[in-house]
Amino acid sequence: GATTITANNTFFGGNKFEFQQNIATENFDFVAKIKVDTVGIFGLSRADTSGYGTAICLNGSNLEVRKVSTTTGTVVYTFPLGFTIVAGSSYILRMFKENKDLKILIVSENGEVCHKIATYDSTHDFGRSWGNPTVFAISGQIKITDVFLAKSEFYHNKFLHVGDSLVEGWGVISNLDSRYKKLFDELIEGNTSISGRGGNTTQDLINRLISKEFNQYLSERYVILDVGTNDNNFLTYKNNMILLINAVKALGKIPILVTVTPRSSFPINEINQWVRALGELYIDKNRVINNGNENSWNVSYVLADNVHPNELGNAIIFKRMLFDLYPFYSTKNYN
């Protein structure tokens, strides 16, 4: 369930979410998914009772690194986010301490990303790893929808990414490393098996996967079913997807669905509404590449065929994967 934090103008005046363990381990990811009810100053902290704890704060259009030495902290670094925090939107906040570096990754649901490294020095006396990991709000109101700690060694999840021409890489054939699924594969240290074939429908996936290819991927825990672009009948799509989902689960694996991108005369709205309402994990690919209308591409992200994403489109879909698949990668690996 969600935890609401209403600010009272201090870091730790009772309106906070705090892990009760005082942790000194350096290589820990501290990650939270937060929805902003009222815009203010909020973020993550590892608070040290000696006053050397570190907090990352989102403050309007800025990212601040603060030394937890006062009730509201001392600002050590200020970085531009590159976007503005807005009410009603959700964000992934990540902080990772490695040696003298504090690695920070902020991801919005619209595919906006801020990645910064703050380095300790004698002038900016901050950065000890001690303290209770805490989600706080100095001003405004936030809702925590998920929060966790994980060792970097935890990230050994393996994926099978199956689908159609968008998975195969049609449109970026000259640079297949720019495919969104390849970018994610690099982030999780090569733990993705990619199986895409241009023109595939959900029925094609059934034919080639259930009795054949699935048996070749015994170690993959997650299966991304990235298909639907070529399905022009919603009921057929739905029935086939249910069959595929059940087949994945029968193998002891976890399915991840994907919303489909715009295509003229195809049941885009029906498919995507169903995917979002089903209750399974999913990647909301359509959200970041449309022009405000689910059935129309943002022209910056699509090839002339109005079907396949260009390199920029692949990049923005990857950034949405950073948001939707946030538990499955380490902040340490992002660059």
Side-chain angles (χ1 to χ4, degrees):
T3 300
T4 297
I5 299 178
T6 304
N8 65 355
N9 299 312
T10 66
F11 269 125
F12 311 121
N15 290 294
K16 60 186 177 181
F17 176 90
E18 182 179 25
F19 285 94
Q20 295 306 304
Q21 298 85 4
N22 191 307
I23 293 173
T25 306
E26 290 187 8
N27 290 333
F28 252 77
D29 246 329
F30 181 19
V31 183
K33 185 178 183 180
I34 291 172
K35 183 175 181 181
V36 177
D37 293 331
T38 306
V39 175
I41 302 173
F42 63 92
L44 309 180
S45 176
R46 292 181 74 165
D48 164 33
T49 55
S50 302
Y52 295 94
T54 303
I56 61 169
C57 305
L58 299 191
N59 185 0
S61 57
N62 290 321
L63 166 66
E64 298 173 342
V65 177
R66 298 191 185 198
K67 175 182 171 182
V68 185
S69 52
T70 66
T71 56
T72 56
T74 302
V75 177
V76 174
Y77 291 109
T78 300
F79 303 107
L81 272 172
F83 52 93
T84 301
I85 302 299
V86 295
S89 288
S90 294
Y91 302 87
I92 306 297
L93 283 64
R94 311 179 69 106
M95 63 184 295
F96 182 90
K97 181 70 165 50
E98 183 180 33
N99 296 324
K100 292 186 176 182
D101 293 336
L102 180 68
K103 298 187 176 183
I104 305 162
L105 185 63
I106 313 296
V107 186
S108 85
E109 59 185 298
N110 294 321
E112 300 152 322
V113 175
C114 177
H115 176 234
K116 299 295 180 183
I117 298 177
T119 299
Y120 173 91
D121 59 42
S122 58
T123 303
H124 302 114
D125 192 12
F126 80 101
R128 288 185 177 174
S129 298
W130 310 344
N132 294 19
T134 302
V135 184
F136 64 86
I138 297 175
S139 59
Q141 180 175 287
I142 60 174
K143 187 179 281 90
I144 308 169
T145 52
D146 192 20
V147 59
F148 67 87
L149 297 167
K151 283 185 66 177
S152 59
E153 289 82 357
F154 171 81
Y155 299 98
H156 295 297
N157 296 302
K158 291 189 175 183
F159 291 77
L160 170 60
H161 197 145
V162 300
D164 49 35
S165 57
L166 276 69
V167 176
E168 186 180 14
W170 181 262
V172 289
I173 293 296
S174 62
N175 183 14
L176 288 177
D177 286 343
S178 69
R179 292 179 293 172
Y180 57 87
K181 72 289 300 169
K182 184 60 178 177
L183 295 172
F184 186 75
D185 177 51
E186 291 174 359
L187 183 63
I188 61 170
E189 300 179 319
N191 283 316
T192 304
S193 297
I194 299 172
S195 178
R197 182 170 179 176
N200 266 193
T201 64
T202 50
Q203 185 60 53
D204 292 322
L205 252 63
I206 290 170
N207 295 342
R208 73 178 173 89
L209 289 173
I210 289 182
S211 62
K212 301 173 185 176
E213 290 188 37
F214 272 164
N215 295 328
Q216 308 303 315
Y217 299 103
L218 299 179
S219 63
E220 281 73 0
R221 177 165 173 75
Y222 298 90
V223 179
I224 301 176
L225 297 169
D226 194 347
V227 68
T229 304
N230 298 307
D231 282 78
N232 58 12
N233 182 284
F234 170 65
L235 288 178
T236 300
Y237 165 87
K238 183 176 76 169
N239 291 334
N240 286 344
M241 284 300 293
I242 291 171
L243 197 157
L244 284 164
I245 290 166
N246 289 337
V248 169
K249 290 182 176 180
L251 292 169
K253 304 178 188 300
I254 298 171
I256 300 175
L257 280 60
V258 179
T259 59
V260 295
T261 49
R263 188 167 187 181
S264 178
S265 302
F266 280 69
I268 305 302
N269 283 337
E270 291 174 289
I271 288 175
N272 290 346
Q273 288 172 14
W274 183 79
V275 167
R276 294 179 182 124
L278 191 59
E280 303 289 349
L281 294 172
Y282 70 94
I283 303 165
D284 204 346
K285 187 166 61 173
N286 185 291
R287 179 187 175 94
V288 292
I289 54 74
N290 71 50
N291 66 355
N293 179 341
E294 192 115 337
N295 293 288
S296 300
W297 280 89
N298 180 323
V299 294
S300 298
Y301 299 140
V302 68
L303 296 172
D305 64 7
N306 220 34
V307 173
H308 297 95
N310 56 23
E311 286 198 15
L312 193 57
N314 275 270
I316 194 70
I317 292 170
F318 165 67
K319 290 176 181 178
R320 179 67 199 200
M321 294 176 76
L322 294 177
F323 184 86
D324 288 323
L325 302 183
Y326 66 93
F328 302 127
Y329 60 90
S330 172
T331 309
K332 176 181 180 180
N333 291 347
Y334 184 84
N335 55 52

